[in-house]
Amino acid sequence: MDAAATLRRTAAASWRPLLTVTVLLGAAEAAQRAGLLPVFIPSPSQVIAEAIRDPRLITENVGQTALRAAIGYAISASIAITAASLAVLVRPLYGPVYNLGVTLHSIPIIALAPLLATWIGTGSQLQIAIAALTSQFAMLVGTIQGLRAADARQREMLHVLSATRLQMLRYLLVPSALPYLFAGLKIAAPSAVLGAITAEWAGADRGVGAMMLYALFAYDTPKVWLSVVLTCLLAASGYAVWAAIERFAIYWEPATELADQP
């Protein structure tokens, strides 16, 4: 599939979600003007007006959250993919690595953030650590499942050819694992954003989470909803970046999705 065909396919798949969002925003605006919504739900125009009135809310907070989430995500990806590869190549490591990933994923982040804050402080290191912890499991599982998805006959052929473990990883396991790996990367990107924002509640001067917390204490509902919109946009952007990379990187088969489109 060439680049032009990929772009056409992406555009064709995007118009329905965009139309749905437009209709919902129009309905919310009409309902607010008609007095059908409670006072704690502002109209979309009020949220947009808040962003226009003070654009520093966006410029000073979104970049901080995105940077912390990206650093934590990169650290998590490096560790998770390396650990998953070792777990598949060295069979005795599979159980400990997988169980450790499950254990870390099971810890409630809202409870872990204050505990980590007392240990490593409330600076950027806290948001980076939480972003890494919240995003590791999807990449770990995706990599493990992908590396184990290689065809048994191809494994046997490389074994007959006396391929080393590294050669088997490079020429068979990694190409077979890419769809699963990208699925994990796509899921983990929003998780890193949400983890960084949750960590900002534990103590941060700048960031979307700090902006949301200050607005809640001030009962500033348009600003609260603006922070919610910014959170959604950041999370969706992280997913969209990896989805776009996947379409060009794995050109030999369709992208791995949660559900097939009709």
Side-chain angles (χ1 to χ4, degrees):
M1 182 181 297
D2 58 14
T6 300
L7 291 175
R8 286 195 299 269
R9 180 182 173 187
T10 303
S14 300
W15 72 269
R16 278 184 247 180
L18 291 176
L19 178 61
T20 302
V21 171
T22 302
V23 171
L24 290 176
L25 290 177
E29 183 72 27
Q32 180 59 256
R33 292 180 182 273
L36 300 177
L37 295 180
V39 294
F40 56 83
I41 300 181
S43 65
S45 61
Q46 289 176 298
V47 177
I48 295 173
E50 182 71 24
I52 295 175
R53 184 182 63 82
D54 190 2
R56 290 183 304 172
L57 287 173
I58 298 176
T59 58
E60 292 182 357
N61 292 295
V62 171
Q64 292 288 331
T65 299
L67 178 61
R68 294 161 182 164
I71 295 175
Y73 181 85
I75 294 173
S76 179
S78 302
I79 296 175
I81 293 173
T82 301
S85 302
L86 290 174
V88 173
L89 292 176
V90 184
R91 185 63 185 177
L93 294 178
Y94 177 83
V97 169
Y98 196 89
N99 291 334
L100 177 61
V102 172
T103 301
L104 293 176
H105 186 65
S106 302
I107 301 174
I109 296 301
I110 195 67
L112 181 61
L115 295 177
L116 282 179
T118 62
W119 180 30
I120 62 176
T122 58
S124 297
Q125 64 271 19
L126 175 63
Q127 289 88 48
I128 292 172
I130 295 297
L133 287 173
T134 54
S135 60
Q136 57 85 25
F137 189 66
M139 291 183 282
L140 179 70
V141 173
T143 306
I144 288 177
Q145 294 298 323
L147 292 176
R148 299 179 67 187
D151 185 77
R153 292 170 297 180
Q154 294 176 332
R155 286 174 176 264
E156 184 177 353
M157 182 183 69
L158 286 179
H159 181 71
V160 170
L161 295 175
S162 301
T164 65
R165 290 186 176 183
L166 289 179
Q167 289 174 329
M168 185 172 293
L169 180 69
R170 176 182 177 184
Y171 295 111
L172 176 60
L173 301 184
V174 170
S176 300
L178 283 180
Y180 297 87
L181 175 59
F182 273 106
L185 291 170
K186 289 187 294 184
I187 295 172
S191 298
V193 172
L194 298 178
I197 290 174
T198 303
E200 288 170 351
W201 293 350
D205 296 329
R206 290 285 184 269
V208 176
M211 167 184 162
M212 185 185 299
L213 201 61
Y214 295 150
L216 282 171
F217 289 152
Y219 297 98
D220 190 344
T221 53
K223 191 177 292 183
V224 171
W225 282 92
L226 176 60
S227 63
V228 171
V229 171
L230 293 176
T231 299
C232 295
L233 290 176
L234 275 175
S237 298
Y239 183 96
V241 166
W242 284 109
I245 295 174
E246 180 187 23
R247 288 183 180 274
F248 289 98
I250 311 179
Y251 55 86
W252 60 86
E253 63 178 44
T256 301
E257 301 290 351
L258 295 179
D260 292 330
Q261 296 293 330

